[in-house]
């Protein structure tokens, strides 16, 4: 399935029809008549026909549903919420996180913690940052609340591990410096809306 | 005489080996067919197209712990699966599998024992097979097993009646209980097939056959949504595997019986030689069972009994009576 | 001050208040919200923010400085007022950095709150920003000028409450406002902005660093994140912290505060106190309370061996020596030990105070002094302090003294042998009399002489006092207006004219005056004193007397107590004493203390043969005061609850009592048993309330009930000079922010255990001296205290191990020899 198809799965507009079901017969004679009628109409074979048709489709018309998962992967939606990514500033390469603690506050499974300190440049430095993925429920609140677009959800969803305590540290989630050029600003979970500019009123500046 | 004994032993071993292998292969086919009908791929990873899955399953079954629950009747618990498997294979002894052929100058009759009560023997053996699930269910000290056993007794006994009565009419027509006689009776091509003379009997036999082999829609014995795994709840490893093999052997037997009795057996079919013809026919029946499993839901026990005693049994009796009347006049 | 009840109407709600109360306070007390940024209860209105604008009887007034009058109709919101307020908030938001995310005030910021409250969703004003630099004003104060909104709350609280006046507004260097704004903007907002654009907060001494007592009250009152504790900067967010109401245990003020705790860090999930907060509208903290919070006894587990040893030690103990930093409950347990086992209780800190209090009770017929510091702060306009080093002994007594000067247009008399340069700055009408140590009797007699109703005094006393008055003559210069005739030439017309003019002229004149020998004895000039005292007494109605620790250990303590009782009775003065250490009043009331230690001694936070210690260095660990619940007795005569801020894993005194068969289930089960016959109430700990009401009423715990008896009529002895010390004198006095080993343990309190002296004296003494007492000697570094004056040096007593009490004996003064080392 291509990404376009995937995104167009419109589950909202299927046409449901009410089946015209006859009332259940109450007398023995009625039931007998129903059995005879159904037998004569060979209703049972409709079922056989359906399964056979599906088999033909699958085998000869290339409509097999199976994705051979570890070898093949379905494309995921841009707003998919998997393992977090910590972004860097594109110009300076400095991490964007300012240590405001909003993600820590909003986290409903209480799995984010950070240590901050006053650094030499009179800035708030995030000295340590962890997400306990054993507890994270990937609700996306942290990405949504982040004022700096520093924490977003990435697409890495395979996080099986031999260790129960899968803590992630800041450095693990941070975009590696050498891959800064590939860091993308996609309209993903936690990113700004496309019409953000129109929504914001500018503050007058006298200089 | 010695040659006869040796030949029979060779034939018995061959049948045992081939049918066992086929039963295993049957599981693979079943999984594949079901998968295709649901537009899936089925087993794919072990070997090309997942062919070696059977081997993997076999290894798994053989190496699994043989587990006997406490409180179970150990002896009966242990022999019950053997009963199923044995009766299934013994039943095949009186079934002519292929037409006669000559190998290295020896004329081989691919039937282990051509007894003159072939059909009776086959049906009897299949009926005896009900002791397997019945004893297994009773012996394992598990309520699901007990329910499974109860269902076994009810289902198998009831449908034995229908099987017998449905075949009675063809037997009356052919006038023999030997399956070879049945085959020879239909030697004149498609037009001679008994299905045309006895369509109702064929349908009844087929339905009863599904029930006898415990296939959907009559798989009440071990229906997992209701009784966990029925009589097989406490079984694991190869003991469970023997139930499985028995079931698949029974499916093949039913396939052979239906082909031999109603569909012209191993007579050549147009340009198709007899041997291939019967294999095709049996394959069709096997496929039909899988097809039905993929398509239909299973029914309730009360519906099962209703169908058997109030519909199929009267129809079978009517069929026998009509056949008798027709033959009389 | 008048206390007439009046009724005013605020937004249609009838409110009872007192005449002369500010409208804002009246509204707050009645639960009506009026926004205000710069106003601080208990301080004078600053009028910086102008946001508390209301309409009173149709006139626009600022509710923080408009006084309520009978029948006043007040509207807090009209369209115009809202517009004005919104404009003011917009101005406050101009150039305020949008860095809420990292700001330490984020979540409890008044700028945020009011911006939202007043619905500021767009900005109409702009001006070029000025570079404002972040500075560290002292070891504890951090000022981020960029965040400052110049509400001047810090300046106000430092001046009106703390008395340091260490801050002022300075020039910001911002450009002028766009002229166009004057027409378009609401008037008040423009005026406020004009001022805001020009000012910034700077230390008032003109340097980069504040010279103050580092109390940190300015950080508490700062509505934004501009002023913070250095240690707390960017460490944690306010909302993560758990607020635990407690009582500060460092001095006898027993201030209400909140310990704010959180897990230490990612690596260490253990709870830790991050900072201390207070109800700054109703209670000011000192530096020890605010920064001396991390004195808990960490990583303690139940050491069974030590516990068994402790039980054995208590079994054979003949004396328990303890400090007064214990709760009432613990004091009661010790008293129970005394009752049951006959163990002597020794507490050198409290013993003189207890004795003094008993003597006072005998003379006055009341077991407790009549007033407290809240009352003094609210009602007095003349405070006299005798025998207390106000700056060091007790911050709240000092705040009260200062606040009276600032808020009640008060006057103050400060009697103390150690010269202090800060106290005179509290107000214009503060007179400091630096007498010799030991002259406290004379000082009290002077108070009687100055304030007592002479008619009501016992005859012997009146006669005695009259003996100190002499009529003498003095020469005064008087201004006389003299008429002079001048000839002035009109320049235009050339005419000469005679003009009569009045010119002042100084004339010397001899007058008779009342020469007060008591004043002279105390080392002051009676003439000058009489003059200034006359000024001080103008319009004064309510007098207060603060008595300090010097009196308790004075050789004539009994006579002093008698005099104090007389002063209270005959001068109509509110009398308040300063209990010497943390829970000294509680210990004095609960325990029957013995004079001397004997035999095997168990020390509780004190030296001894077996040491129970909450400092982590004893033979058995005990919980520190921030790890236990219980009650404390404050110098305001209240029994107040305190809660455990941090976990404690070891044994408590109650466990030891249990092992001895005298214990209760919980320590707080003892609260019920506090002695009712000594003024306590039989209230369960869990029934005690905590905190303040909106109008500032303290509802913490309960007030002690004074026990009344018959006042003895024994005569007071005349003042004697026996106790007067001459020569080199050491004074037992702690530096500010240090009270005991626990404050010393806190990482943000740096004051050293050293000899403190005035800068001149310190220079003379050099770097290090040996202080030789009769009983022994101490070698101490010399630290210059800029606010000390005179020859007397101060030796701290906050280290129990140094056993300074033994060196000094009972008196706070001792003759010593200082030897340079």
């Amino acid at each position: 399935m291509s990404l376009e198809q995937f995104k167009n799965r419109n589950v909202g507009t299927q046409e449901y029809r009410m089946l015209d079901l006859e009332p259940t017969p109450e007398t023995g004679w009625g039931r007998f008549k129903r059995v005879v009628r159904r037998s004569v109409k060979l209703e049972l074979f409709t079922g056989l026909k359906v399964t056979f048709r599906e088999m033909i489709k699958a085998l000869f018309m290339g409509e097999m549903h199976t994705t051979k998962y570890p070898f093949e992967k379905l494309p995921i939606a841009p707003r998919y919420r998997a393992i977090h990514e910590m972004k860097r500033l594109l110009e300076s390469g400095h991490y964007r996180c300012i240590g405001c603690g909003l993600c820590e506050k909003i986290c409903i499974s209480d799995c984010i913690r950070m240590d901050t300190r006053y650094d030499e440049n009179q800035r708030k430095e995030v000295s340590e940052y962890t997400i306990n993925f054993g507890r994270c429920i990937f609700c996306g609140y942290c990405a949504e609340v982040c004022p700096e677009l520093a924490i977003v959800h990435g697409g890495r969803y395979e996080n099986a591990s031999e260790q129960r305590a899968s803590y992630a540290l800041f450095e693990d989630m941070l975009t590696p410096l050498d891959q800064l050029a590939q860091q993308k600003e996609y309209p993903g979970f936690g990113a700004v809306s496309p019409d953000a500019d129109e929504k914001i009123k500018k503050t007058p500046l006298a200089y | 005489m010695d040659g006869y004994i040796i030949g029979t032993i060779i034939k018995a071993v061959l049948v045992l080996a081939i049918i066992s292998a086929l039963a295993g292969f049957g599981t693979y086919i079943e999984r594949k067919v079901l998968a295709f009908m649901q537009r899936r791929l089925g087993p794919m990873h072990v070997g090309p197209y997942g062919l070696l899955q059977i081997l993997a399953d076999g290894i798994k079954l053989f190496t699994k712990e043989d587990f006997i629950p406490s409180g179970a009747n150990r002896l009966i618990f242990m022999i019950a699966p053997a009963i199923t498997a044995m009766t299934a294979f013994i039943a095949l002894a009186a079934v002519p599998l292929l037409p006669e052929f000559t190998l290295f100058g020896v004329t081989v009759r691919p039937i282990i024992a051509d007894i003159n009560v072939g059909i009776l023997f086959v049906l009897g053996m299949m009926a005896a097979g009900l002791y397997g699930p019945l004893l297994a269910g009773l012996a394992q000290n598990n309520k699901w097993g007990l329910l499974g056993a109860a269902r076994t007794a009810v289902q198998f006994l009831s449908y034995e009646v229908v099987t017998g009565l449905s075949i009675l009419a063809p037997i009356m027509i052919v006038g023999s209980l030997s399956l070879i006689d049945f085959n020879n009776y239909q030697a004149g091509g498609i037009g001679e097939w008994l299905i045309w003379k006895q369509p109702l009997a064929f349908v009844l036999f087929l339905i009863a056959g599904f029930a006898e082999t415990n296939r959907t829609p009559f798989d009440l014995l071990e229906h997992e949504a209701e009784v966990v795994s029925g009589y097989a709840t406490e079984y694991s490893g190869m003991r469970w595997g023997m139930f499985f093999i028995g079931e698949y052997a029974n499916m093949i037997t039913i396939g052979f019986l239906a082909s031999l009795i109603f569909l012209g057996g191993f007579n050549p079919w147009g340009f198709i030689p007899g041997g291939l013809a019967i294999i095709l026919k049996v394959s069709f029946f096997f496929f039909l069972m899988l097809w039905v499993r993929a398509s239909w839901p299973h029914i309730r026990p009360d519906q099962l009994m209703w169908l058997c005693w109030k519909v199929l049994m009267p129809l079978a009796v009517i069929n026998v009576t009509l056949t008798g009347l027709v033959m009389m006049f | 001050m008048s206390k007439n009840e009046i009724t005013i109407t605020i937004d249609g709600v009838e409110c009872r208040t007192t005449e002369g109360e500010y409208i804002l306070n009246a509204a707050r007390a009645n639960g009506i919200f009026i926004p205000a940024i710069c106003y601080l209860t208990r301080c004078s209105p600053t009028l910086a923010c102008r946001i508390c604008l209301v309409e009173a009887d149709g006139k626009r007034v600022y509710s923080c400085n408009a006084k309520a009058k009978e029948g006043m109709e007040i509207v807090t919101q009209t369209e115009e007022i809202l517009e004005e307020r919104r404009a003011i908030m917009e101005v406050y938001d101009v150039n305020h950095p949008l860095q809420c995310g990292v700001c330490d005030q984020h979540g409890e910021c008044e700028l945020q709150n009011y911006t939202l409250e007043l619905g500021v969703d767009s900005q109409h004003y702009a001006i070029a920003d000025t570079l404002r630099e972040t500075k560290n004003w002292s070891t504890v104060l951090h000022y981020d000028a960029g965040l400052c909104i110049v509400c001047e709350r810090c300046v106000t609280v430092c001046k009106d409450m703390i008395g340091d006046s260490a801050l002022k507004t300075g020039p910001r260097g911002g450009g002028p406002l766009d002229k166009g704004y004057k027409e378009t903007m609401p008037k008040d907002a423009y005026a406020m902005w004009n001022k805001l654009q020009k000012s910034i907060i700077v230390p008032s001494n003109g340097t980069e660093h504040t010279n103050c007592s580092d109390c940190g009250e300015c950080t508490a009152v700062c509505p934004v994140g501009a002023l913070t504790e250095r240690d707390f900067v960017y460490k944690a967010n306010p909302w993560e912290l758990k607020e635990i109401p407690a009582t500060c245990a460092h001095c006898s003020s027993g201030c209400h505060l909140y310990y704010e705790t959180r897990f230490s860090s990612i690596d260490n999930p253990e709870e830790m106190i991050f900072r201390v907060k207070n109800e700054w509208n109703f209670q000011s903290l000192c530096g020890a309370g605010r920064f001396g919070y991390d004195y808990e006894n960490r990583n303690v587990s139940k050491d069974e061996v030590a516990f068994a040893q402790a039980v054995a030690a208590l079994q054979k103990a003949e004396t328990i020596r303890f400090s007064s930093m214990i709760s009432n409950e613990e004091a009661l347990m010790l008293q129970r030990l005394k009752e049951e086992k006959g163990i002597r209780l020794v507490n050198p800190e409290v013993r003189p105070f207890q004795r003094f209090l008993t003597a006072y009770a005998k003379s006055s017929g009341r077991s407790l002094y009549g007033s407290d510091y809240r009352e003094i702060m609210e009602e007095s306009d003349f405070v006299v302090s005798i025998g207390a080093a106000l700056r060091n002994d007790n911050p709240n007594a000092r705040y009260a003294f200062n606040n009276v000067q600032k808020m009640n247009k008060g006057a103050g008399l400060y009697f103390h042998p150690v010269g202090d340069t800060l106290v005179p700055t509290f107000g214009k009408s503060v007179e400091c009399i630096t007498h010799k140590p030991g002259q406290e009797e004379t000082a009290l007699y002077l108070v009687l002489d100055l304030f007592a109703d002479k008619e009501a005094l016992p005859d012997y006393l009146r006669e005695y006092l009259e003996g100190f008055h002499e009529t003498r003559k003095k020469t005064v210069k008087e201004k006389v207006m003299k008429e002079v005739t001048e000839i002035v030439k009109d320049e235009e017309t050339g005419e000469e004219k005679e003009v009569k003019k009045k010119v002042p002229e100084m004339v010397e004149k001899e007058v008779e005056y009342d020469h007060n020998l008591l004043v002279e004895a105390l080392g002051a000039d009676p003439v000058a004193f009489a003059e200034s005292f006359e000024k001080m007494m103008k319009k004064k109605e309510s007098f207060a007397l603060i008595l300090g620790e010097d009196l308790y250990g004075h050789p004539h303590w009994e006579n002093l107590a008698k005099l104090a009782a007389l002063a209270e009775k005959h001068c109509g003065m509110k009398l308040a004493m300063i209990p010497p250490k943390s829970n000294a009043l509680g210990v004095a009331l609960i325990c029957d203390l013995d004079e001397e230690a004997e035999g095997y001694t168990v020390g509780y936070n004190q030296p001894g043969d077996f040491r129970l210690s909450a400092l982590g260095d004893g033979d058995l660990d005990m919980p520190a005061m921030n790890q236990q619940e219980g009650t404390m007795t404050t110098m305001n005569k209240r029994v107040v609850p305190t809660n455990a801020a941090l976990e404690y894993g070891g044994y408590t005194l109650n466990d030891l009592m249990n092992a001895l068969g005298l214990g209760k289930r919980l320590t707080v089960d003892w609260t019920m048993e506090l002695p009712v016959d000594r003024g306590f109430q039989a209230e369960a700990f869990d029934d005690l309330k905590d905190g303040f009401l909106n109008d500032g009423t303290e509802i913490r715990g309960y007030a002690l009930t004074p026990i009344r008896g018959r006042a003895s009529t024994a005569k007071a002895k005349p003042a004697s000079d026996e106790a007067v010390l001459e020569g080199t004198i050491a004074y037992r006095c702690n530096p500010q922010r240090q009270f005991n080993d626990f404050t010393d343990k806190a990482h943000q309190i740096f004051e050293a255990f050293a000899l403190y002296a005035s800068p001149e004296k310190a220079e003379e003494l050099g770097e290090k001296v040996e202080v030789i007492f009769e009983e022994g000697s101490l070698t101490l570094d010399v630290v210059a205290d800029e606010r000390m004056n005179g020859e007397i040096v101060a030796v701290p007593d906050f280290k129990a191990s140094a056993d300074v009490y033994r060196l000094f004996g009972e008196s706070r003064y001792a003759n010593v020899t200082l030897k340079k080392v």
Side-chain angles (χ1 to χ4, degrees), chain A residues 35 44 47-48 51-52 54-55 57-59 63-66 68 71, chain B residues 33 36-41 44-45 287-288 291-292 294-296 306:
Chain A
V35 169
L44 280 172
L48 290 177
T51 47
F52 199 79
E54 293 304 311
M55 183 170 76
K57 273 191 191 171
L59 286 177
E63 286 188 29
M64 195 65 91
H65 275 313
T66 307
K68 287 177 234 166
F71 312 114
Chain B
V33 169
F36 292 150
M37 287 186 168
Q38 291 157 356
R39 287 210 254 160
R40 294 186 287 112
L41 283 172
M44 282 299 281
H45 288 295
F287 176 72
L288 182 68
W291 190 7
V292 166
S295 310
W296 294 347
W306 173 83

Side-chain angles (χ1 to χ4, degrees), chain C residues 242-305:
Chain C
K242 195 165 72 191
E243 243 178 27
I244 295 156
T247 298
C248 176
H250 290 318
C251 80
S252 51
S253 304
C255 297
H256 180 260
L257 50 75
Y258 297 100
Y259 288 119
E260 297 211 311
T261 64
R262 199 196 73 169
F263 59 89
S264 304
S265 68
I266 288 173
D267 306 321
N268 183 6
E270 214 179 334
E271 290 277 303
M272 169 178 141
I273 301 176
F274 271 74
R275 65 167 174 178
V276 161
K277 256 184 18 179
N278 59 323
E279 297 276 6
W280 39 265
N281 265 319
F282 312 124
Q283 171 91 71
S284 298
L285 288 185
C286 70
R290 188 174 308 283
F291 300 108
Y293 51 77
D294 54 339
Y295 57 86
E296 70 277 0
N297 200 0
R298 269 192 179 253
N299 304 323
V300 176
S301 55
K302 299 209 163 167
D303 182 350
E304 281 170 25
V305 179

Side-chain angles (χ1 to χ4, degrees), chain A residues 98-102 104-105 113-118 122-124 128-130 201-207, chain C residues 95 101-102 106 122-129 134 142 233-235 237 239-240 262-263 265-267:
Chain A
I98 55 168
C100 70
L102 287 181
E104 193 179 3
K105 171 70 182 163
R113 272 193 182 180
M114 63 174 76
D115 285 350
T116 52
R117 65 181 201 100
Y118 184 64
Q122 301 187 340
R123 292 174 67 95
K124 194 174 191 171
E128 243 181 280
Y129 187 104
T130 68
K201 204 167 186 177
K202 287 195 177 76
T203 295
L205 286 177
Y207 47 94
Chain C
N95 291 341
V102 297
H106 188 19
S122 57
Q123 178 63 271
H124 298 90
Y125 315 120
I127 191 163
D129 206 352
T134 303
H142 175 88
V233 176
Y234 295 163
K235 237 186 174 175
N237 292 307
W239 59 73
E240 300 175 88
R262 199 196 73 169
F263 59 89
S265 68
I266 288 173
D267 306 321

Side-chain angles (χ1 to χ4, degrees), chain C residues 756-800:
Chain C
Y756 288 82
S758 59
E760 302 82 36
K761 182 80 182 167
E763 201 171 327
E764 183 193 318
L765 287 174
E767 279 187 1
K768 205 168 193 178
V769 289
E770 190 181 5
V771 191
I772 303 164
F773 293 82
E774 275 176 31
E775 301 277 319
S777 71
L778 273 176
T779 306
L780 297 169
D781 291 333
V782 178
V783 174
D785 183 345
E786 282 175 29
R787 290 170 168 187
M788 270 174 79
N789 206 351
E791 288 293 303
I792 300 179
V793 294
V795 176
D797 61 20
F798 63 81
K799 265 200 167 96

Side-chain angles (χ1 to χ4, degrees), chain B residues 65-233:
Chain B
E65 185 189 354
D66 181 22
F67 185 87
I68 301 172
S70 66
N73 187 323
R74 291 178 65 89
L75 180 69
I76 298 178
F77 184 86
M78 288 191 317
I79 60 171
I83 294 174
T84 306
M86 279 190 310
T87 51
F89 287 110
I90 292 169
L92 274 169
V95 177
L97 302 170
L98 294 168
E100 281 182 15
F101 58 90
T102 311
L103 197 65
F104 308 122
V106 182
T107 304
V108 180
R109 297 185 67 204
I111 181 165
I112 298 165
D114 182 15
I115 45 178
N116 55 4
V117 288
I119 290 185
L120 214 54
F121 179 79
V122 172
L123 290 182
M125 265 304 145
M126 285 181 70
L130 93 91
Y131 282 106
L134 185 63
L135 293 177
L138 289 171
Q140 65 187 243
N141 189 28
N142 177 308
K143 58 182 169 184
W144 309 117
L146 196 62
L147 284 171
R151 288 183 173 199
T152 312
V154 166
Q155 182 176 330
F156 281 9
L157 280 177
S158 309
Y159 277 89
E160 211 55 55
V161 174
V162 180
T163 324
L165 285 175
S166 63
I167 295 184
L168 202 51
I171 291 172
M172 285 157 66
I173 293 172
V174 177
S176 166
L177 287 170
S178 163
L179 282 164
I180 294 182
D181 289 344
F182 268 89
N183 181 62
N184 295 341
Y185 181 84
Q186 304 171 74
I190 288 179
E192 292 287 305
W193 288 5
L194 266 175
I195 189 172
W196 312 126
K197 289 184 179 152
Q198 287 292 340
L200 188 57
F202 173 70
V203 172
L204 293 177
F205 179 77
L206 206 59
I207 294 174
F210 273 79
E212 291 262 319
T213 50
N214 183 27
R215 296 294 304 176
T216 314
F218 307 121
D219 58 337
L220 301 181
L221 277 61
E222 47 176 339
H223 194 258
E224 56 275 351
E226 289 162 6
V227 288
V228 183
S229 203
Y231 64 88
T233 304

